[in-house]
Amino acid sequence: MILHSIRSRIQVWHTLLLSLLMLGLLTAFYVHEKEIFVREFDANLMQSITSLMPRYGTGGPGSSIRRGPPPGENGRDSYGPGPHGYAPSDDDPEALWAWRDRASEGIIAQGWYVVSMSRDGSIVYKTPNAPESVEYPEPTTRTRMLNSAIRVVGTNRECVHYGPRRDVVILGASASQIDERLAVLRWQLVGGGVIVVVLGFVIGWFLVGRSLEPINSVTRTAAGISQGDLSQRIDASDMDSELGQMVAVLNETFAKLESSFDQQVRFTADASHELRTPISVILAKCQFALMRERSPEKYREALKTCEASAQHVRRLVESLLELARMDSGEFRVIRSPGDLAAVAESCVQLLSALAEEKQIELDVDLQPARVDMDFDRMHQVGINLISNAIKYVNAGGYVYVRTYSEPGAAVFEVRDTGMGIRREKLPHLFDRFYRVSKERSDEQNSTGLGLAITKAIVDAHGAEIDVVSEWGNGSTFTIRFPL
């Protein structure tokens, strides 16, 4: 369960890689230090054996080694007196052996041993701590040139020095001294490596936690939104990071989700309100008619009111169903080549009687404007715009209907000389159930959905609808089809 989290997975990989890296580095360092220890050990033997040659060399005829006081110079030999006195002459082997034993105390104290051998392999002298059996080292070409060599015998390392008569002096020591230093080094390296890995784990855990904080913020925000608080947004202060774009997209999605939810709530409330009013009227008139006996004129008046309210409910329900189809994606326009002038002419013929009834003049200027369109849907749009213009123009006013082509567009335009719309109302004009009823007196028969449906149909054609209005000087609705 723990390894299912991203933080734990990153931490495991980070710690594993750090451990492998430390293991490689520390192993390489250990091998390097081991080689240095061996070289130091061998170099120490090599440096010491030269000074030991006069003390342990075989001497005798042909040798440069001379022991004992020289004739006529009592108290001095060719090497001077040592801390243990003058070395006895080779003519007195027992005294010389005893003298060498005394001279070797310092060497033995260092853990070293000395073996002196003649060229026939016989041992001339060896310290008490020397191995019981010592093999004569046969010289090689290299050792003949250098006179000295290092050899490994068991757990001991020995420095062999050849004399001029191939007699040898061997200075050796147990390599356990190197092993002891390496053991200490191993523990130091293991301890240091563990400390580095632990520190790396702690620092990595902290850094990974900070790096994943934006994801935790996304999770907290999403949890808050799922509980109904749609106003929450993710902190976008670190927009330059890799997660910045994702945070921006999520915040935009949350904003659209909040707007959609608010719109749905508002739409439901508006629809309920619009349906409640005519239903209340119908119920009131029915109760009025049934309360007691009425005259035929009163019954007729009540029935007319109920019919008008029922018609309003029918129009509202039909509009809501059409908007529901548009929102569900089932709404489609069936395009075919046509002329906006034909659409406008058909709408004007249908609504001319209404204009005459309100004593409004329809001024028509229809130039060819051919586009691919759904004739029936655009006819619905033309009816909505022209009937709205007639509705909000007083007697004696004008409604101008024009179609024409301009570079890159076919245009359908409806302009009226009515009261116009205040500027602050224009951005909401195509919202569902939006009305400017405080200024426009003939809203009671409107569902507030006509312009919303008009815009949805225009958008489905890939066209644009625009409105320009000035309070007191009428309004102009313009639809442009791109060519």
Side-chain angles (χ1 to χ4, degrees):
M1 184 64 183
I2 295 178
L3 293 180
H4 289 174
S5 71
I6 296 177
R7 185 177 189 177
S8 299
R9 293 177 188 176
I10 294 176
Q11 192 61 37
V12 167
W13 280 107
H14 163 261
T15 305
L16 181 60
L17 291 176
L18 179 61
S19 300
L20 292 176
L21 178 62
M22 289 302 301
L23 179 62
L25 292 175
L26 294 180
T27 301
F29 182 77
Y30 174 79
V31 172
H32 179 262
E33 288 298 304
K34 179 180 179 181
E35 185 176 351
I36 290 178
F37 288 170
V38 172
R39 287 181 179 178
E40 289 179 350
F41 190 84
D42 292 344
N44 200 12
L45 292 177
M46 295 285 283
Q47 290 175 0
S48 300
I49 197 169
T50 303
S51 60
L52 298 179
M53 284 302 297
R55 188 181 305 172
Y56 300 102
T58 55
S63 174
S64 59
I65 299 175
R66 297 289 187 271
R67 298 189 181 87
E73 296 182 15
N74 294 330
R76 294 184 61 84
D77 64 6
S78 57
Y79 300 95
H84 305 287
Y86 295 104
S89 171
D90 291 335
D91 298 335
D92 188 356
E94 293 183 0
L96 180 59
W97 188 288
W99 180 88
R100 283 171 170 167
D101 281 345
R102 292 194 301 274
S104 300
E105 292 177 353
I107 295 175
I108 295 174
Q110 298 181 57
W112 295 354
Y113 61 85
V114 176
V115 178
S116 177
M117 304 177 71
S118 61
R119 63 179 302 174
D120 58 0
S122 60
I123 295 177
V124 177
Y125 171 78
K126 69 176 182 179
T127 54
N129 61 339
E132 184 175 351
S133 175
V134 180
E135 185 178 350
Y136 178 81
E138 292 294 338
T140 62
T141 304
R142 186 171 183 272
T143 54
R144 288 194 184 98
M145 294 176 62
L146 300 177
N147 293 329
S148 297
I150 295 294
R151 71 173 185 176
V152 179
V153 180
T155 59
N156 299 332
R157 299 186 70 84
E158 296 177 342
C159 178
V160 180
H161 185 85
Y162 293 88
R165 294 184 303 164
R166 296 183 60 185
D167 53 317
V168 297
V169 175
I170 299 173
L171 177 62
S174 173
S176 60
Q177 299 177 27
I178 301 176
D179 296 337
E180 292 174 357
R181 293 182 64 185
L182 289 176
V184 174
L185 178 63
R186 280 196 298 271
W187 281 111
Q188 291 175 342
L189 294 179
V190 170
V194 170
I195 292 174
V196 171
V197 171
V198 171
L199 287 177
F201 179 87
V202 175
I203 295 174
W205 184 265
F206 173 74
L207 294 178
V208 171
R210 285 186 60 85
S211 300
L212 295 178
E213 179 57 27
I215 296 179
N216 296 331
S217 177
V218 172
T219 303
R220 290 193 296 269
T221 303
I225 291 176
S226 66
Q227 294 176 359
D229 186 3
L230 300 179
S231 63
Q232 290 194 24
R233 295 292 180 273
I234 304 170
D235 182 12
S237 57
D238 190 14
M239 292 296 291
D240 295 332
S241 67
E242 290 79 358
L243 296 174
Q245 293 183 354
M246 185 190 74
V247 170
V249 172
L250 287 176
N251 280 337
E252 183 178 356
T253 303
F254 294 153
K256 289 181 178 179
L257 181 63
E258 182 182 14
S259 175
S260 176
F261 184 79
D262 291 343
Q263 188 176 6
Q264 181 181 1
V265 171
R266 187 169 60 253
F267 178 81
T268 303
D270 291 343
S272 301
H273 175 76
E274 292 299 324
L275 288 172
R276 184 175 58 187
T277 300
I279 291 175
S280 298
V281 172
I282 292 173
L283 289 175
K285 286 298 179 182
C286 290
Q287 291 171 355
F288 171 78
L290 296 174
M291 185 177 297
R292 59 181 175 82
E293 194 71 25
R294 306 285 182 180
S295 64
E297 290 76 13
K298 292 292 183 182
Y299 282 124
R300 187 178 297 107
E301 180 183 351
L303 289 174
K304 285 184 178 179
T305 302
C306 289
E307 182 190 15
S309 297
Q311 291 290 351
H312 182 73
V313 171
R314 182 180 61 82
R315 289 194 299 271
L316 184 60
V317 170
E318 289 177 348
S319 298
L320 288 174
L321 289 175
E322 190 159 10
L323 285 172
R325 284 196 295 272
M326 293 176 177
D327 292 340
S328 67
E330 298 178 357
F331 178 76
R332 295 287 186 276
V333 291
I334 303 174
R335 300 189 189 193
S336 61
D339 194 338
L340 291 176
V343 174
E345 184 177 7
S346 176
C347 295
V348 169
Q349 289 178 356
L350 187 64
L351 296 173
S352 58
L354 179 61
E356 290 178 359
E357 181 183 352
K358 293 194 63 175
Q359 299 179 356
I360 295 171
E361 184 169 346
L362 282 174
D363 188 337
V364 179
D365 180 9
L366 304 179
Q367 302 296 326
R370 301 191 64 80
V371 293
D372 290 339
M373 62 178 176
D374 187 323
F375 186 90
D376 293 336
R377 289 298 182 184
M378 284 308 301
H379 188 268
Q380 182 181 356
V381 169
I383 292 292
N384 283 342
L385 294 180
I386 297 174
S387 63
N388 274 348
I390 294 174
K391 187 183 300 182
Y392 299 118
V393 172
N394 295 324
Y398 289 85
V399 172
Y400 300 95
V401 180
R402 299 176 60 202
T403 60
Y404 57 94
S405 295
E406 62 182 19
V411 182
F412 185 107
E413 181 179 285
V414 177
R415 181 166 64 89
D416 65 66
T417 58
M419 66 184 69
I421 305 169
R422 296 186 184 277
R423 179 176 299 178
E424 63 271 18
K425 304 291 184 181
L426 293 177
H428 307 286
L429 199 60
F430 296 103
D431 292 349
R432 297 174 184 183
F433 295 112
Y434 183 78
R435 292 193 180 94
V436 287
S437 56
K438 292 181 179 178
E439 293 84 6
R440 298 158 77 103
S441 59
D442 197 11
E443 297 270 10
Q444 60 271 25
N445 292 324
S446 173
T447 62
L449 297 173
L451 288 178
I453 294 173
T454 295
K455 188 175 187 310
I457 295 174
V458 171
D459 290 343
H461 280 84
E464 294 182 352
I465 184 170
D466 184 32
V467 56
V468 176
S469 183
E470 183 178 355
W471 179 244
N473 291 322
S475 305
T476 301
F477 288 82
T478 304
I479 300 173
R480 283 186 169 82
F481 283 79
L483 296 178

